[in-house]
Short mmCIF file of all heavy atoms in Angstrom, two decimals:
data_model
loop_
_atom_site.label_atom_id
_atom_site.label_comp_id
_atom_site.label_asym_id
_atom_site.label_seq_id
_atom_site.Cartn_x
_atom_site.Cartn_y
_atom_site.Cartn_z
N MET A 1 -13.59 14.97 -11.42
CA MET A 1 -14.22 13.76 -11.91
C MET A 1 -14.79 12.99 -10.72
O MET A 1 -14.13 12.85 -9.70
CB MET A 1 -13.19 12.91 -12.67
CG MET A 1 -13.72 11.58 -13.14
SD MET A 1 -12.54 10.60 -14.10
CE MET A 1 -12.75 11.32 -15.70
N THR A 2 -15.98 12.49 -10.86
CA THR A 2 -16.59 11.70 -9.80
C THR A 2 -16.18 10.24 -9.93
O THR A 2 -15.68 9.80 -10.98
CB THR A 2 -18.12 11.79 -9.85
OG1 THR A 2 -18.57 11.13 -11.04
CG2 THR A 2 -18.61 13.23 -9.83
N ILE A 3 -16.43 9.48 -8.88
CA ILE A 3 -16.16 8.04 -8.92
C ILE A 3 -16.98 7.38 -10.03
O ILE A 3 -16.47 6.54 -10.77
CB ILE A 3 -16.47 7.38 -7.56
CG1 ILE A 3 -15.55 7.92 -6.47
CG2 ILE A 3 -16.40 5.87 -7.65
CD1 ILE A 3 -14.09 7.59 -6.69
N GLN A 4 -18.23 7.80 -10.17
CA GLN A 4 -19.08 7.21 -11.20
C GLN A 4 -18.53 7.50 -12.60
O GLN A 4 -18.54 6.62 -13.47
CB GLN A 4 -20.52 7.75 -11.08
CG GLN A 4 -21.25 7.27 -9.85
CD GLN A 4 -20.85 8.04 -8.57
OE1 GLN A 4 -20.24 9.10 -8.63
NE2 GLN A 4 -21.19 7.49 -7.42
N GLU A 5 -18.03 8.71 -12.81
CA GLU A 5 -17.44 9.05 -14.11
C GLU A 5 -16.18 8.23 -14.36
O GLU A 5 -15.95 7.75 -15.48
CB GLU A 5 -17.11 10.55 -14.17
CG GLU A 5 -18.33 11.44 -14.22
CD GLU A 5 -18.00 12.90 -14.04
OE1 GLU A 5 -17.03 13.23 -13.32
OE2 GLU A 5 -18.74 13.73 -14.62
N LEU A 6 -15.40 8.05 -13.33
CA LEU A 6 -14.19 7.25 -13.45
C LEU A 6 -14.53 5.79 -13.77
O LEU A 6 -13.91 5.17 -14.63
CB LEU A 6 -13.37 7.34 -12.16
CG LEU A 6 -12.04 6.61 -12.13
CD1 LEU A 6 -11.13 7.08 -13.26
CD2 LEU A 6 -11.36 6.82 -10.79
N GLU A 7 -15.53 5.25 -13.08
CA GLU A 7 -15.96 3.88 -13.35
C GLU A 7 -16.40 3.73 -14.81
O GLU A 7 -16.04 2.74 -15.47
CB GLU A 7 -17.10 3.49 -12.42
CG GLU A 7 -16.67 3.27 -10.99
CD GLU A 7 -17.83 3.04 -10.05
OE1 GLU A 7 -19.01 3.18 -10.47
OE2 GLU A 7 -17.58 2.74 -8.87
N MET A 8 -17.16 4.68 -15.29
CA MET A 8 -17.63 4.61 -16.68
C MET A 8 -16.45 4.70 -17.65
O MET A 8 -16.42 3.97 -18.66
CB MET A 8 -18.64 5.73 -16.97
CG MET A 8 -19.96 5.56 -16.22
SD MET A 8 -20.81 4.02 -16.61
CE MET A 8 -21.20 4.27 -18.32
N ALA A 9 -15.50 5.54 -17.37
CA ALA A 9 -14.33 5.68 -18.24
C ALA A 9 -13.53 4.38 -18.27
O ALA A 9 -13.09 3.94 -19.33
CB ALA A 9 -13.46 6.84 -17.77
N VAL A 10 -13.36 3.75 -17.11
CA VAL A 10 -12.61 2.50 -17.05
C VAL A 10 -13.33 1.41 -17.86
O VAL A 10 -12.69 0.62 -18.55
CB VAL A 10 -12.39 2.06 -15.58
CG1 VAL A 10 -11.87 0.64 -15.50
CG2 VAL A 10 -11.44 3.02 -14.88
N LYS A 11 -14.64 1.40 -17.79
CA LYS A 11 -15.41 0.39 -18.52
C LYS A 11 -15.25 0.51 -20.03
O LYS A 11 -15.49 -0.45 -20.75
CB LYS A 11 -16.87 0.47 -18.15
CG LYS A 11 -17.15 -0.02 -16.74
CD LYS A 11 -18.62 0.13 -16.39
CE LYS A 11 -18.87 -0.30 -14.96
NZ LYS A 11 -20.28 -0.13 -14.56
N THR A 12 -14.85 1.68 -20.52
CA THR A 12 -14.72 1.87 -21.97
C THR A 12 -13.31 1.56 -22.48
O THR A 12 -13.08 1.61 -23.68
CB THR A 12 -15.08 3.32 -22.36
OG1 THR A 12 -14.11 4.21 -21.81
CG2 THR A 12 -16.47 3.69 -21.89
N LEU A 13 -12.38 1.24 -21.59
CA LEU A 13 -11.01 0.97 -22.00
C LEU A 13 -10.91 -0.32 -22.80
O LEU A 13 -11.64 -1.28 -22.54
CB LEU A 13 -10.10 0.86 -20.77
CG LEU A 13 -9.91 2.13 -19.94
CD1 LEU A 13 -9.09 1.81 -18.69
CD2 LEU A 13 -9.24 3.22 -20.75
N THR A 14 -9.98 -0.32 -23.73
CA THR A 14 -9.69 -1.55 -24.46
C THR A 14 -9.00 -2.52 -23.49
O THR A 14 -8.54 -2.12 -22.42
CB THR A 14 -8.75 -1.29 -25.65
OG1 THR A 14 -7.48 -0.86 -25.15
CG2 THR A 14 -9.33 -0.26 -26.60
N THR A 15 -8.88 -3.76 -23.90
CA THR A 15 -8.22 -4.76 -23.07
C THR A 15 -6.79 -4.34 -22.74
O THR A 15 -6.36 -4.42 -21.59
CB THR A 15 -8.23 -6.13 -23.77
OG1 THR A 15 -9.59 -6.50 -24.01
CG2 THR A 15 -7.57 -7.19 -22.92
N ASP A 16 -6.05 -3.88 -23.74
CA ASP A 16 -4.67 -3.45 -23.51
C ASP A 16 -4.61 -2.23 -22.60
O ASP A 16 -3.77 -2.16 -21.70
CB ASP A 16 -3.97 -3.14 -24.83
CG ASP A 16 -3.61 -4.38 -25.62
OD1 ASP A 16 -3.56 -5.48 -25.02
OD2 ASP A 16 -3.38 -4.25 -26.84
N ASP A 17 -5.48 -1.26 -22.84
CA ASP A 17 -5.48 -0.07 -22.00
C ASP A 17 -5.87 -0.41 -20.56
O ASP A 17 -5.31 0.13 -19.62
CB ASP A 17 -6.42 1.00 -22.56
CG ASP A 17 -5.84 1.70 -23.77
OD1 ASP A 17 -4.61 1.59 -24.00
OD2 ASP A 17 -6.62 2.35 -24.50
N LEU A 18 -6.83 -1.33 -20.40
CA LEU A 18 -7.22 -1.74 -19.07
C LEU A 18 -6.07 -2.43 -18.35
O LEU A 18 -5.81 -2.17 -17.17
CB LEU A 18 -8.44 -2.66 -19.12
CG LEU A 18 -8.98 -3.14 -17.77
CD1 LEU A 18 -9.36 -1.96 -16.88
CD2 LEU A 18 -10.16 -4.07 -17.98
N ARG A 19 -5.34 -3.28 -19.05
CA ARG A 19 -4.17 -3.95 -18.48
C ARG A 19 -3.11 -2.92 -18.06
O ARG A 19 -2.58 -2.99 -16.96
CB ARG A 19 -3.58 -4.93 -19.48
CG ARG A 19 -2.45 -5.77 -18.92
CD ARG A 19 -1.87 -6.75 -19.93
NE ARG A 19 -2.89 -7.52 -20.65
CZ ARG A 19 -3.18 -7.37 -21.96
NH1 ARG A 19 -2.52 -6.50 -22.69
NH2 ARG A 19 -4.11 -8.12 -22.51
N ASN A 20 -2.86 -1.94 -18.91
CA ASN A 20 -1.89 -0.90 -18.59
C ASN A 20 -2.36 -0.04 -17.42
O ASN A 20 -1.57 0.32 -16.55
CB ASN A 20 -1.61 -0.02 -19.80
CG ASN A 20 -0.84 -0.76 -20.87
OD1 ASN A 20 -0.08 -1.68 -20.58
ND2 ASN A 20 -1.04 -0.38 -22.12
N PHE A 21 -3.64 0.29 -17.41
CA PHE A 21 -4.18 1.06 -16.29
C PHE A 21 -4.07 0.28 -14.98
O PHE A 21 -3.67 0.83 -13.95
CB PHE A 21 -5.65 1.43 -16.55
CG PHE A 21 -6.30 2.08 -15.36
CD1 PHE A 21 -6.01 3.38 -15.02
CD2 PHE A 21 -7.19 1.35 -14.57
CE1 PHE A 21 -6.60 3.97 -13.90
CE2 PHE A 21 -7.78 1.93 -13.46
CZ PHE A 21 -7.49 3.25 -13.13
N ALA A 22 -4.40 -0.99 -15.03
CA ALA A 22 -4.34 -1.82 -13.82
C ALA A 22 -2.91 -1.89 -13.30
O ALA A 22 -2.68 -1.80 -12.08
CB ALA A 22 -4.88 -3.22 -14.11
N ARG A 23 -1.95 -2.04 -14.19
CA ARG A 23 -0.55 -2.08 -13.79
C ARG A 23 -0.15 -0.75 -13.14
O ARG A 23 0.46 -0.73 -12.09
CB ARG A 23 0.34 -2.38 -14.99
CG ARG A 23 1.80 -2.55 -14.64
CD ARG A 23 2.67 -2.88 -15.85
NE ARG A 23 2.16 -4.04 -16.59
CZ ARG A 23 1.70 -3.99 -17.86
NH1 ARG A 23 1.70 -2.86 -18.52
NH2 ARG A 23 1.25 -5.09 -18.43
N TRP A 24 -0.53 0.34 -13.80
CA TRP A 24 -0.23 1.67 -13.26
C TRP A 24 -0.88 1.86 -11.89
O TRP A 24 -0.25 2.33 -10.95
CB TRP A 24 -0.71 2.77 -14.21
CG TRP A 24 -0.62 4.12 -13.57
CD1 TRP A 24 0.48 4.93 -13.53
CD2 TRP A 24 -1.64 4.80 -12.84
NE1 TRP A 24 0.20 6.07 -12.82
CE2 TRP A 24 -1.10 6.02 -12.38
CE3 TRP A 24 -2.96 4.50 -12.53
CZ2 TRP A 24 -1.83 6.93 -11.63
CZ3 TRP A 24 -3.69 5.41 -11.78
CH2 TRP A 24 -3.12 6.62 -11.34
N PHE A 25 -2.14 1.46 -11.75
CA PHE A 25 -2.86 1.65 -10.50
C PHE A 25 -2.26 0.81 -9.38
O PHE A 25 -2.14 1.28 -8.24
CB PHE A 25 -4.35 1.34 -10.67
CG PHE A 25 -5.18 1.80 -9.52
CD1 PHE A 25 -5.35 3.15 -9.26
CD2 PHE A 25 -5.80 0.88 -8.68
CE1 PHE A 25 -6.11 3.59 -8.18
CE2 PHE A 25 -6.56 1.31 -7.61
CZ PHE A 25 -6.72 2.66 -7.35
N ASP A 26 -1.85 -0.40 -9.68
CA ASP A 26 -1.18 -1.24 -8.68
C ASP A 26 0.10 -0.56 -8.18
O ASP A 26 0.36 -0.54 -6.98
CB ASP A 26 -0.84 -2.62 -9.25
CG ASP A 26 -2.05 -3.51 -9.41
OD1 ASP A 26 -3.11 -3.21 -8.82
OD2 ASP A 26 -1.93 -4.52 -10.15
N GLU A 27 0.88 -0.01 -9.11
CA GLU A 27 2.10 0.68 -8.72
C GLU A 27 1.79 1.93 -7.91
O GLU A 27 2.48 2.24 -6.93
CB GLU A 27 2.92 1.04 -9.96
CG GLU A 27 3.52 -0.17 -10.65
CD GLU A 27 4.17 0.17 -11.98
OE1 GLU A 27 4.28 1.37 -12.32
OE2 GLU A 27 4.56 -0.78 -12.69
N TYR A 28 0.76 2.66 -8.30
CA TYR A 28 0.33 3.86 -7.58
C TYR A 28 -0.05 3.51 -6.15
O TYR A 28 0.38 4.18 -5.20
CB TYR A 28 -0.84 4.51 -8.32
CG TYR A 28 -1.41 5.71 -7.61
CD1 TYR A 28 -0.82 6.96 -7.74
CD2 TYR A 28 -2.55 5.58 -6.82
CE1 TYR A 28 -1.34 8.05 -7.08
CE2 TYR A 28 -3.08 6.67 -6.16
CZ TYR A 28 -2.47 7.91 -6.29
OH TYR A 28 -2.99 8.99 -5.63
N ARG A 29 -0.84 2.45 -5.98
CA ARG A 29 -1.27 2.04 -4.63
C ARG A 29 -0.08 1.59 -3.80
O ARG A 29 -0.01 1.89 -2.61
CB ARG A 29 -2.31 0.92 -4.73
CG ARG A 29 -3.59 1.30 -5.40
CD ARG A 29 -4.57 1.96 -4.50
NE ARG A 29 -4.95 0.95 -3.52
CZ ARG A 29 -5.47 1.24 -2.34
NH1 ARG A 29 -5.70 2.46 -2.01
NH2 ARG A 29 -5.77 0.28 -1.50
N ALA A 30 0.86 0.89 -4.40
CA ALA A 30 2.05 0.44 -3.68
C ALA A 30 2.88 1.65 -3.23
O ALA A 30 3.37 1.68 -2.09
CB ALA A 30 2.89 -0.48 -4.55
N ASP A 31 3.01 2.64 -4.09
CA ASP A 31 3.75 3.85 -3.73
C ASP A 31 3.05 4.60 -2.60
O ASP A 31 3.70 5.11 -1.68
CB ASP A 31 3.91 4.78 -4.93
CG ASP A 31 4.87 4.23 -5.98
OD1 ASP A 31 5.65 3.31 -5.66
OD2 ASP A 31 4.83 4.74 -7.12
N GLU A 32 1.73 4.67 -2.64
CA GLU A 32 0.97 5.32 -1.57
C GLU A 32 1.17 4.58 -0.25
O GLU A 32 1.32 5.19 0.80
CB GLU A 32 -0.53 5.37 -1.92
CG GLU A 32 -0.86 6.40 -2.96
CD GLU A 32 -0.56 7.82 -2.50
OE1 GLU A 32 -1.03 8.23 -1.42
OE2 GLU A 32 0.18 8.51 -3.22
N TRP A 33 1.16 3.26 -0.29
CA TRP A 33 1.39 2.44 0.90
C TRP A 33 2.77 2.75 1.49
O TRP A 33 2.92 2.96 2.69
CB TRP A 33 1.27 0.97 0.54
CG TRP A 33 1.64 0.03 1.65
CD1 TRP A 33 2.84 -0.58 1.82
CD2 TRP A 33 0.81 -0.39 2.73
NE1 TRP A 33 2.81 -1.36 2.96
CE2 TRP A 33 1.58 -1.26 3.53
CE3 TRP A 33 -0.50 -0.12 3.11
CZ2 TRP A 33 1.07 -1.86 4.68
CZ3 TRP A 33 -1.01 -0.72 4.25
CH2 TRP A 33 -0.22 -1.58 5.01
N ASP A 34 3.77 2.79 0.61
CA ASP A 34 5.13 3.08 1.07
C ASP A 34 5.21 4.46 1.72
O ASP A 34 5.84 4.63 2.77
CB ASP A 34 6.12 3.03 -0.10
CG ASP A 34 6.36 1.61 -0.61
OD1 ASP A 34 6.00 0.64 0.10
OD2 ASP A 34 6.90 1.47 -1.72
N ARG A 35 4.57 5.45 1.11
CA ARG A 35 4.58 6.81 1.68
C ARG A 35 3.91 6.82 3.06
O ARG A 35 4.40 7.47 3.98
CB ARG A 35 3.89 7.79 0.74
CG ARG A 35 4.79 8.28 -0.38
CD ARG A 35 4.18 9.46 -1.12
NE ARG A 35 3.13 9.07 -2.05
CZ ARG A 35 3.35 8.55 -3.26
NH1 ARG A 35 4.58 8.35 -3.67
NH2 ARG A 35 2.36 8.23 -4.04
N LYS A 36 2.81 6.11 3.20
CA LYS A 36 2.10 6.07 4.47
C LYS A 36 2.95 5.40 5.55
O LYS A 36 3.02 5.88 6.68
CB LYS A 36 0.76 5.33 4.30
CG LYS A 36 -0.03 5.21 5.58
CD LYS A 36 -0.44 6.57 6.12
CE LYS A 36 -1.32 6.38 7.35
NZ LYS A 36 -1.11 7.42 8.34
N ILE A 37 3.59 4.29 5.21
CA ILE A 37 4.46 3.61 6.17
C ILE A 37 5.60 4.53 6.59
O ILE A 37 5.94 4.63 7.77
CB ILE A 37 5.01 2.29 5.58
CG1 ILE A 37 3.89 1.27 5.41
CG2 ILE A 37 6.14 1.73 6.43
CD1 ILE A 37 3.27 0.78 6.70
N GLU A 38 6.21 5.22 5.62
CA GLU A 38 7.30 6.14 5.93
C GLU A 38 6.83 7.27 6.86
O GLU A 38 7.54 7.64 7.80
CB GLU A 38 7.90 6.71 4.65
CG GLU A 38 8.69 5.69 3.87
CD GLU A 38 9.10 6.15 2.48
OE1 GLU A 38 8.92 7.35 2.18
OE2 GLU A 38 9.60 5.32 1.72
N GLU A 39 5.63 7.79 6.61
CA GLU A 39 5.05 8.81 7.49
C GLU A 39 4.88 8.27 8.90
O GLU A 39 5.20 8.94 9.88
CB GLU A 39 3.68 9.26 6.98
CG GLU A 39 3.68 10.22 5.84
CD GLU A 39 2.26 10.54 5.40
OE1 GLU A 39 1.31 10.42 6.21
OE2 GLU A 39 2.09 10.90 4.22
N ASP A 40 4.33 7.07 9.00
CA ASP A 40 4.10 6.46 10.31
C ASP A 40 5.42 6.22 11.05
O ASP A 40 5.50 6.42 12.27
CB ASP A 40 3.33 5.14 10.17
CG ASP A 40 1.88 5.36 9.77
OD1 ASP A 40 1.40 6.51 9.81
OD2 ASP A 40 1.21 4.37 9.41
N ILE A 41 6.44 5.81 10.32
CA ILE A 41 7.75 5.59 10.95
C ILE A 41 8.30 6.90 11.48
O ILE A 41 8.74 6.99 12.63
CB ILE A 41 8.73 4.94 9.95
CG1 ILE A 41 8.32 3.48 9.69
CG2 ILE A 41 10.16 5.02 10.47
CD1 ILE A 41 9.06 2.84 8.53
N ARG A 42 8.27 7.94 10.64
CA ARG A 42 8.77 9.25 11.08
C ARG A 42 7.99 9.79 12.27
O ARG A 42 8.55 10.46 13.14
CB ARG A 42 8.74 10.25 9.93
CG ARG A 42 9.87 10.07 8.94
CD ARG A 42 9.97 11.25 7.98
NE ARG A 42 8.78 11.44 7.17
CZ ARG A 42 8.53 10.81 6.02
NH1 ARG A 42 9.39 9.94 5.56
NH2 ARG A 42 7.42 11.06 5.35
N ALA A 43 6.69 9.50 12.33
CA ALA A 43 5.85 9.99 13.42
C ALA A 43 5.97 9.13 14.68
O ALA A 43 5.37 9.45 15.70
CB ALA A 43 4.39 10.04 12.96
N GLY A 44 6.73 8.03 14.60
CA GLY A 44 6.91 7.17 15.76
C GLY A 44 5.77 6.21 16.02
O GLY A 44 5.73 5.56 17.07
N LYS A 45 4.86 6.08 15.06
CA LYS A 45 3.69 5.23 15.27
C LYS A 45 4.01 3.74 15.33
O LYS A 45 3.19 2.96 15.80
CB LYS A 45 2.65 5.48 14.18
CG LYS A 45 2.03 6.85 14.23
CD LYS A 45 1.00 7.03 13.16
CE LYS A 45 0.36 8.40 13.23
NZ LYS A 45 -0.66 8.58 12.19
N LEU A 46 5.19 3.36 14.86
CA LEU A 46 5.55 1.94 14.86
C LEU A 46 6.58 1.60 15.93
O LEU A 46 6.99 0.45 16.06
CB LEU A 46 6.08 1.53 13.48
CG LEU A 46 5.11 1.78 12.32
CD1 LEU A 46 5.76 1.41 11.00
CD2 LEU A 46 3.82 1.01 12.51
N ASP A 47 6.97 2.59 16.72
CA ASP A 47 8.01 2.38 17.73
C ASP A 47 7.63 1.29 18.74
O ASP A 47 8.44 0.41 19.04
CB ASP A 47 8.33 3.68 18.48
CG ASP A 47 9.01 4.71 17.59
OD1 ASP A 47 9.36 4.38 16.44
OD2 ASP A 47 9.17 5.85 18.05
N GLU A 48 6.42 1.35 19.25
CA GLU A 48 6.00 0.37 20.26
C GLU A 48 5.96 -1.03 19.67
O GLU A 48 6.36 -2.00 20.33
CB GLU A 48 4.64 0.74 20.85
CG GLU A 48 4.13 -0.24 21.89
CD GLU A 48 5.09 -0.45 23.07
OE1 GLU A 48 5.85 0.47 23.42
OE2 GLU A 48 5.06 -1.56 23.64
N LEU A 49 5.50 -1.15 18.44
CA LEU A 49 5.48 -2.47 17.79
C LEU A 49 6.90 -3.01 17.64
O LEU A 49 7.13 -4.20 17.84
CB LEU A 49 4.81 -2.38 16.42
CG LEU A 49 3.31 -2.13 16.43
CD1 LEU A 49 2.81 -1.90 15.01
CD2 LEU A 49 2.58 -3.29 17.07
N GLY A 50 7.84 -2.15 17.30
CA GLY A 50 9.23 -2.57 17.18
C GLY A 50 9.79 -3.03 18.52
O GLY A 50 10.49 -4.06 18.58
N ARG A 51 9.47 -2.30 19.57
CA ARG A 51 9.94 -2.71 20.91
C ARG A 51 9.36 -4.07 21.30
O ARG A 51 10.07 -4.92 21.84
CB ARG A 51 9.58 -1.64 21.95
CG ARG A 51 10.48 -0.41 21.90
CD ARG A 51 10.23 0.52 23.08
NE ARG A 51 8.99 1.27 22.97
CZ ARG A 51 8.85 2.40 22.27
NH1 ARG A 51 9.88 2.92 21.63
NH2 ARG A 51 7.70 3.02 22.22
N ARG A 52 8.08 -4.26 21.03
CA ARG A 52 7.45 -5.55 21.36
C ARG A 52 8.07 -6.68 20.55
O ARG A 52 8.30 -7.78 21.07
CB ARG A 52 5.95 -5.48 21.13
CG ARG A 52 5.26 -4.67 22.20
CD ARG A 52 3.75 -4.65 22.15
NE ARG A 52 3.09 -5.50 21.20
CZ ARG A 52 1.97 -5.18 20.58
NH1 ARG A 52 1.38 -4.02 20.80
NH2 ARG A 52 1.40 -6.02 19.74
N ALA A 53 8.36 -6.44 19.28
CA ALA A 53 8.98 -7.46 18.45
C ALA A 53 10.37 -7.80 18.97
O ALA A 53 10.75 -8.98 19.03
CB ALA A 53 9.04 -6.99 17.00
N ASP A 54 11.13 -6.78 19.37
CA ASP A 54 12.46 -7.03 19.94
C ASP A 54 12.37 -7.88 21.20
O ASP A 54 13.15 -8.82 21.39
CB ASP A 54 13.18 -5.71 20.25
CG ASP A 54 13.67 -4.99 19.01
OD1 ASP A 54 13.75 -5.63 17.93
OD2 ASP A 54 13.96 -3.78 19.12
N LYS A 55 11.41 -7.55 22.06
CA LYS A 55 11.25 -8.32 23.30
C LYS A 55 10.87 -9.76 23.01
O LYS A 55 11.39 -10.69 23.64
CB LYS A 55 10.19 -7.67 24.20
CG LYS A 55 10.66 -6.41 24.87
CD LYS A 55 9.55 -5.82 25.73
CE LYS A 55 9.98 -4.49 26.33
NZ LYS A 55 8.90 -3.88 27.12
N ASP A 56 9.96 -9.97 22.07
CA ASP A 56 9.56 -11.32 21.70
C ASP A 56 10.75 -12.10 21.13
O ASP A 56 10.95 -13.27 21.47
CB ASP A 56 8.43 -11.30 20.67
CG ASP A 56 7.09 -10.94 21.30
OD1 ASP A 56 6.97 -11.00 22.54
OD2 ASP A 56 6.16 -10.59 20.53
N PHE A 57 11.55 -11.45 20.32
CA PHE A 57 12.72 -12.11 19.75
C PHE A 57 13.71 -12.49 20.84
O PHE A 57 14.19 -13.62 20.90
CB PHE A 57 13.39 -11.21 18.71
CG PHE A 57 14.61 -11.82 18.10
CD1 PHE A 57 14.49 -12.80 17.12
CD2 PHE A 57 15.89 -11.44 18.51
CE1 PHE A 57 15.62 -13.38 16.56
CE2 PHE A 57 17.01 -12.01 17.96
CZ PHE A 57 16.88 -12.98 16.98
N GLU A 58 14.00 -11.54 21.71
CA GLU A 58 14.94 -11.79 22.80
C GLU A 58 14.46 -12.88 23.73
O GLU A 58 15.25 -13.61 24.32
CB GLU A 58 15.24 -10.50 23.55
CG GLU A 58 16.02 -9.50 22.73
CD GLU A 58 16.04 -8.11 23.31
OE1 GLU A 58 15.49 -7.91 24.43
OE2 GLU A 58 16.59 -7.21 22.66
N ALA A 59 13.14 -13.01 23.89
CA ALA A 59 12.58 -14.02 24.77
C ALA A 59 12.42 -15.38 24.06
O ALA A 59 11.92 -16.34 24.68
CB ALA A 59 11.21 -13.55 25.30
N GLY A 60 12.82 -15.45 22.80
CA GLY A 60 12.72 -16.72 22.07
C GLY A 60 11.33 -17.06 21.60
O GLY A 60 11.03 -18.21 21.34
N ARG A 61 10.46 -16.06 21.49
CA ARG A 61 9.08 -16.32 21.04
C ARG A 61 8.91 -16.11 19.54
O ARG A 61 7.80 -15.86 19.08
CB ARG A 61 8.13 -15.40 21.82
CG ARG A 61 8.01 -15.74 23.28
CD ARG A 61 6.90 -14.95 23.95
NE ARG A 61 7.19 -13.53 24.00
CZ ARG A 61 7.71 -12.89 25.06
NH1 ARG A 61 8.02 -13.57 26.14
NH2 ARG A 61 7.91 -11.59 25.01
N CYS A 62 9.95 -16.24 18.78
CA CYS A 62 9.88 -16.08 17.32
C CYS A 62 10.31 -17.37 16.65
O CYS A 62 11.11 -18.12 17.19
CB CYS A 62 10.79 -14.94 16.87
SG CYS A 62 10.28 -13.33 17.50
N THR A 63 9.75 -17.61 15.49
CA THR A 63 10.13 -18.78 14.71
C THR A 63 10.64 -18.31 13.35
O THR A 63 10.18 -17.30 12.83
CB THR A 63 8.95 -19.73 14.51
OG1 THR A 63 7.89 -19.02 13.89
CG2 THR A 63 8.46 -20.30 15.83
N PRO A 64 11.59 -19.03 12.79
CA PRO A 64 12.10 -18.65 11.46
C PRO A 64 10.98 -18.73 10.43
O PRO A 64 10.08 -19.56 10.53
CB PRO A 64 13.17 -19.70 11.17
CG PRO A 64 13.47 -20.35 12.48
CD PRO A 64 12.28 -20.21 13.33
N LEU A 65 11.07 -17.87 9.44
CA LEU A 65 10.08 -17.88 8.36
C LEU A 65 10.37 -18.99 7.38
O LEU A 65 11.42 -19.41 7.16
CB LEU A 65 10.07 -16.54 7.61
CG LEU A 65 9.64 -15.36 8.43
CD1 LEU A 65 9.78 -14.07 7.62
CD2 LEU A 65 8.19 -15.52 8.87
#
């Protein structure tokens, strides 16, 4: 299916079906984000950021949220 075909199919959805599709798609995107973050963690791509955050915290350069 092409993007154009998908767009046309979405445009034909009823209000309820569109709401359900949107909910499903939001969950799908969130799951994809989680998988990507987990991949990056396993690959060590966030290690340097973690070290910098630890140094900033230890140096008192952090503020409570």
